[in-house]
Amino acid sequence: MEIEVGLQRRASCPFCQTVVGGPNQEFAVTNNKHQVLMANLTTASTQVVATLPKFERVRLLAQADGWVLAAAVNPEDVSAYGGPETVYAVRLADGHVEERSADSDTSLEAAGAGTTVFGGSWFAVVTTIHAGRCQTRQNLELLEVGSANQVTVKPPQPKDLPEGGNSIVFPVWGSDGHLYAIHNSCSSDDKQVEPSKPALWRLEKDHSWTQIKSGSFEAAAPLDGKTTLVTVRDTKTATIRLQLERDSGTETVADNIRTFAVRPADH
């Protein structure tokens, strides 16, 4: 759907599951046959690009510069947290598949961008290690698109970070080439778990983090220097509201949503 004019385009894709947006009117999708396909909404067609290892559930994480990042898991080896998953980079032009390293105890989350402050195109993948109750440790893996280059980035370290766990959620590349993500932390004792207030952070060129804002949001994506798209949970109805936050005030975009995605400006 083209949001500004309301135009809808459709492409038949039987048994398709996960989807990630690409340039123009093309999207990469997966189906129940462990295949990666390209769906073209202009021509209303789909084409198989590659088939990943059988007996593994496949889902797409992100797309950037002609590559798509996929995660596959053997259902017989799934942990209580949903993983581990093997990461594959698929070249959409010819279906070439490369396995990439991103060790994680749980299902992965990622974002891809074609132009970044780090030079070139990168996938940002959140990985998780579980050490016990409220001791989840999440890092960020930066995978360069089309190469073997990889960088491990530690999570933000706010001054009031408690002794406990941390989580990095909703990674998104901004139009300025920086990666943004929500960071949460928590501390626990034998009786209760105390979560911190979520905060939006920006990953700098030297791989340090800068806190941008904190609030009651569950996800946030800067659209430009003055506007941020956020989701806020209504405590009375437990529904999630999508809002635009500006210096001039807050505007509700939609109610009862599950999630949203924002593509980098160069797409």
Side-chain angles (χ1 to χ4, degrees), residues 16-213:
C16 281
Q17 297 167 343
T18 58
V19 57
V20 291
N24 303 318
Q25 295 293 329
E26 291 189 328
F27 293 79
V29 297
T30 57
N31 61 16
N32 61 348
K33 296 181 180 179
H34 322 295
Q35 294 173 323
V36 177
L37 307 90
M38 287 302 297
N40 188 307
L41 299 184
T42 300
T43 61
S45 62
T46 56
Q47 179 180 357
V48 176
V49 174
T51 301
L52 295 184
K54 295 183 178 180
F55 310 113
E56 293 187 335
R57 185 173 66 249
V58 179
R59 64 190 184 95
L60 298 184
L61 301 175
Q63 182 174 321
D65 274 12
W67 289 75
V68 66
L69 200 66
V73 62
N74 187 331
E76 296 180 356
D77 295 333
V78 175
S79 73
Y81 305 106
E85 290 180 310
T86 303
V87 177
Y88 298 93
V90 181
R91 190 164 55 208
L92 297 173
D94 58 6
H96 173 70
V97 179
E98 298 178 358
E99 184 174 333
R100 298 297 300 265
S101 174
D103 294 333
S104 182
D105 290 345
T106 190
S107 295
L108 296 162
E109 187 177 10
T115 303
T116 73
V117 295
F118 307 113
S121 307
W122 292 81
F123 290 116
V125 184
V126 177
T127 61
T128 304
I129 298 176
H130 288 275
R133 182 172 180 262
C134 194
Q135 293 181 354
T136 299
R137 299 292 184 187
Q138 291 193 323
N139 290 325
L140 193 70
E141 296 290 336
L142 295 180
L143 311 179
E144 188 170 21
V145 177
S147 82
N149 293 338
Q150 182 167 338
V151 178
T152 300
V153 179
K154 297 297 183 182
Q157 297 292 320
K159 295 180 181 180
D160 59 347
L161 182 68
E163 290 294 330
N166 80 285
S167 63
I168 303 171
V169 296
F170 205 77
V172 57
W173 291 95
S175 59
D176 57 2
H178 286 274
L179 183 81
Y180 292 82
I182 304 294
H183 181 256
N184 300 286
S185 58
C186 66
S187 60
S188 64
D189 54 29
D190 293 336
K191 298 180 180 179
Q192 61 184 358
V193 174
E194 293 292 341
S196 66
K197 195 173 186 178
L200 176 66
W201 294 74
R202 180 179 65 220
L203 185 62
E204 305 295 356
K205 193 172 182 179
D206 62 358
H207 298 146
S208 66
W209 294 89
T210 299
Q211 183 172 333
I212 304 302
K213 63 189 302 182

Side-chain angles (χ1 to χ4, degrees), residues 213 224-228 244-252:
K213 63 189 302 182
D224 54 43
K226 299 181 179 179
T227 308
T228 305
L244 276 174
E245 291 188 351
R246 300 185 177 95
D247 293 340
S248 58
T250 300
E251 175 187 348
T252 297

